[in-house]
Amino acid sequence: GAGVSQSPSNKVTEKGKDVELRCDPISGHTALYWYRQSLGQGLEFLIYFQGNSAPDKSGLPSDRFSAERTGGSVSTLTIQRTQQEDSAVYLCASSVPGSDTQYFGPGTRLTVL
Amino acid sequence: AQSVSQHNHHVILSEAASLELGCNYSYGGTVNLFWYVQYPGQHLQLLLKYFSGDPLVKGIKGFEAEFIKSKFSFNLRKPSVQWSDTAEYFCAVNAYNAGNNRKLIWGLGTSLAVNP
């Protein structure tokens, strides 16, 4: 079956612009996660959705970052007024209810010039 | 705060050598433990996991890991590596908090290069 998909695969933007990153989880997966993978920094948790609600937003680095999920499926991560330090690979993962095994998408590589 | 430590950042081995990658975590409560692998140009995929029961777990491609609760460790092993094992390996821990969040706490990863 289809895995987690993310778009775009690559995004180059100028400092100060807004960007939107999209995640399509595996069908039936109610939990959705966003992570950021920076060079040499490992994976950093950003936000967790259960259905359309986000019980844990503790990893969002600043108020320039926001995310939403609609219909219990697609999620969008928005970064406003991008900065060079936002450059990273943004990963999305999903899991079935009650499971701790997360399935990852291919990521979106964001480069802020 | 919960954390995961991977001791080896870069490992270089020859084919047929044995592999052990260290992983330690800091959390005194119930944990689920994972090893994920990221092959060059591919996305993260689950290698193996421990939830409960036998502390020696076996994963794909001949990998295994042992959970030692007293040492807060979950080391990854493989008796004989192959060139195709060249990848980045990540240890991750799910530590249950009051909100029952299932977020994973990650180590920084270990880059493994296997020379043919």
Side-chain angles (χ1 to χ4, degrees):
Chain A
V4 177
S5 62
Q6 292 185 246
S7 60
S9 55
N10 280 285
K11 176 71 176 179
V12 180
T13 190
E14 293 179 347
K15 178 181 173 182
K17 300 283 190 183
D18 297 351
V19 296
E20 282 190 355
L21 312 180
R22 177 187 167 106
C23 172
D24 264 293
I26 294 172
S27 177
H29 284 199
T30 58
L32 187 147
Y33 306 80
W34 282 99
Y35 295 90
R36 180 166 69 174
Q37 186 177 24
S38 303
L39 195 61
Q41 298 295 314
L43 273 79
E44 174 189 4
F45 168 79
L46 297 178
I47 188 169
Y48 155 66
F49 286 93
Q50 180 57 48
N52 290 336
S53 63
D56 189 346
K57 305 178 183 179
S58 63
L60 294 177
S62 76
D63 58 7
R64 296 186 295 105
F65 287 72
S66 63
E68 64 176 16
R69 189 179 185 194
T70 56
S73 181
V74 172
S75 176
T76 302
L77 176 69
T78 301
I79 309 173
Q80 296 178 310
R81 305 181 303 281
T82 53
Q83 303 294 311
Q84 289 183 331
E85 61 263 29
D86 299 335
S87 296
V89 175
Y90 289 82
L91 293 168
C92 176
S94 69
S95 66
V96 296
S99 170
D100 288 302
T101 301
Q102 298 180 18
Y103 296 85
F104 282 81
T108 293
R109 181 175 297 279
L110 175 66
T111 303
V112 182
L113 302 176
Chain B
Q2 301 145 13
S3 65
V4 176
S5 172
Q6 291 184 238
H7 316 301
N8 319 98
H9 297 296
H10 300 281
V11 174
I12 302 174
L13 296 173
S14 298
E15 277 194 318
S18 64
L19 171 72
E20 180 160 4
L21 302 182
C23 173
N24 285 87
Y25 64 93
S26 64
Y27 185 71
T30 302
V31 291
N32 293 333
L33 300 153
F34 304 80
W35 276 97
Y36 279 82
V37 60
Q38 189 169 26
Y39 297 103
Q42 297 186 29
H43 54 89
L44 277 164
Q45 56 186 286
L46 182 68
L47 196 57
L48 49 77
K49 62 186 179 184
Y50 171 80
F51 285 3
S52 64
D54 188 344
L56 183 64
V57 293
K58 296 189 183 299
I60 60 172
K61 303 186 180 185
F63 285 90
E64 64 179 31
E66 184 176 13
F67 170 49
I68 303 180
K69 189 174 182 179
S70 61
K71 295 184 178 180
F72 298 91
S73 70
F74 190 56
N75 292 354
L76 181 70
R77 300 194 292 250
K78 184 171 183 179
S80 176
V81 295
Q82 300 174 310
W83 176 79
S84 58
D85 294 324
T86 294
E88 190 91 13
Y89 292 82
F90 294 91
C91 180
V93 172
N94 174 289
Y96 286 89
N97 58 21
N100 202 30
N101 185 4
R102 286 177 158 80
K103 71 182 182 185
L104 293 175
I105 309 299
W106 296 80
L108 293 181
T110 297
S111 175
L112 171 66
V114 180
N115 295 323

